[in-house]
Amino acid sequence: LFTYLAALLLFGSNGIIAAAIALPSSDIVLLRTFLGTLSLVAVLAITQRHKLQAPSRPREAAALLLSGAALGASWIFLFRAYQTIGVGISSLLYYCGPIIVMALSPLIFGEKLTGGKIAGFIAVACGALAFCYALMVIASKGAPHIKGLENSTLQVSAAFVTALVLTLITQGAPSFLSAGVAASIDWRAVVMLGVVNTGIGCLLYFSAVAKLPVQTVAVVGYLEPLSAVVFSD
């Protein structure tokens, strides 16, 4: 639980760091997932290259890749929202996703809904819906044997590929490939967002999510938008 809380606080600072990066949202997510993937792959290659579970569990690996793809798409939408309507409101809307997870958990995972949770679901369902987040959490629970670092590496890698494809479709070549644009970027913020908030943050996040009940993930996950609102002030 404390690992999950630490990851949420890191993620809550994403919008503040992203605000210092003068790039389109898709470029920010592309750089973030690229650096996060590099970090995780490097650590995985050094520490666990002989202990990989994914090759012998293709269905679980596919579930993680689907989860990562949903994560990459949701980040692009979220970072665009940061730039359009601000960090605080974007974070609150984005985190209508956990309530979808909570509503589906009895059907998918056999977890019971209490009266208080049902009341919370009804209240939040009156707002927006965030299907990418819900898909990410639900799909990630489909790989119980691929854990920790390997789990995180697969998901962030899939998020990077998704971000790359969406960037190429929507705007062509990433703008940071231009020498003039690259020179104006705050690369310290990029490295912080990619290595710390994404690499380390996702390692903490997915390691914890695999071990926590889905409804705990959904409810406690609201610490992220709360911290994002506090940080944005």
Side-chain angles (χ1 to χ4, degrees), residues 66 78 163 174 178 186 192 196 223:
L66 175 61
L78 177 62
S178 166
D186 185 345
M192 178 71 180
V196 178
L223 175 63

Side-chain angles (χ1 to χ4, degrees), residues 32-208:
R32 173 188 187 181
T33 53
F34 175 68
L35 291 175
T37 299
L38 280 184
S39 304
L40 291 170
V41 167
V43 177
L44 183 67
I46 294 171
T47 62
Q48 299 183 21
R49 62 183 181 276
H50 301 305
K51 303 178 183 179
L52 300 180
Q53 297 293 317
S56 62
R57 301 181 185 276
R59 288 190 176 182
E60 293 190 17
L64 293 178
L65 292 176
L66 175 61
S67 175
L71 181 64
S74 70
W75 276 346
I76 286 181
F77 297 141
L78 177 62
F79 277 66
R80 179 58 184 271
Y82 284 157
Q83 297 172 338
T84 305
I85 60 175
V87 174
I89 295 176
S90 299
S91 299
L92 291 173
L93 291 175
Y94 177 73
Y95 262 82
C96 289
I99 208 65
I100 303 174
V101 177
M102 184 189 300
L104 295 177
S105 63
L107 299 175
I108 298 176
F109 304 109
E111 298 180 359
K112 295 182 179 180
L113 281 176
T114 65
K117 291 175 180 177
I118 293 174
F121 166 73
I122 294 173
V124 178
C126 294
L129 300 178
F131 291 104
C132 286
Y133 178 96
L135 177 60
M136 181 267 293
V137 174
I138 291 170
S140 69
K141 298 289 283 187
H145 299 96
I146 304 177
K147 303 176 181 179
L149 182 59
E150 184 180 3
N151 180 305
S152 305
T153 302
L154 283 173
Q155 297 209 54
V156 177
S157 298
F160 166 67
V161 172
T162 302
L164 177 61
V165 171
L166 291 176
T167 298
L168 294 175
I169 291 174
T170 58
Q171 70 178 54
S175 60
F176 58 78
L177 295 179
S178 166
V181 173
S184 65
I185 296 173
D186 185 345
W187 288 102
R188 294 171 300 177
V190 171
V191 171
M192 178 71 180
L193 186 64
V195 176
V196 178
N197 286 45
T198 303
I200 297 176
C202 286
L203 176 57
L204 295 174
Y205 182 89
F206 290 118
S207 297

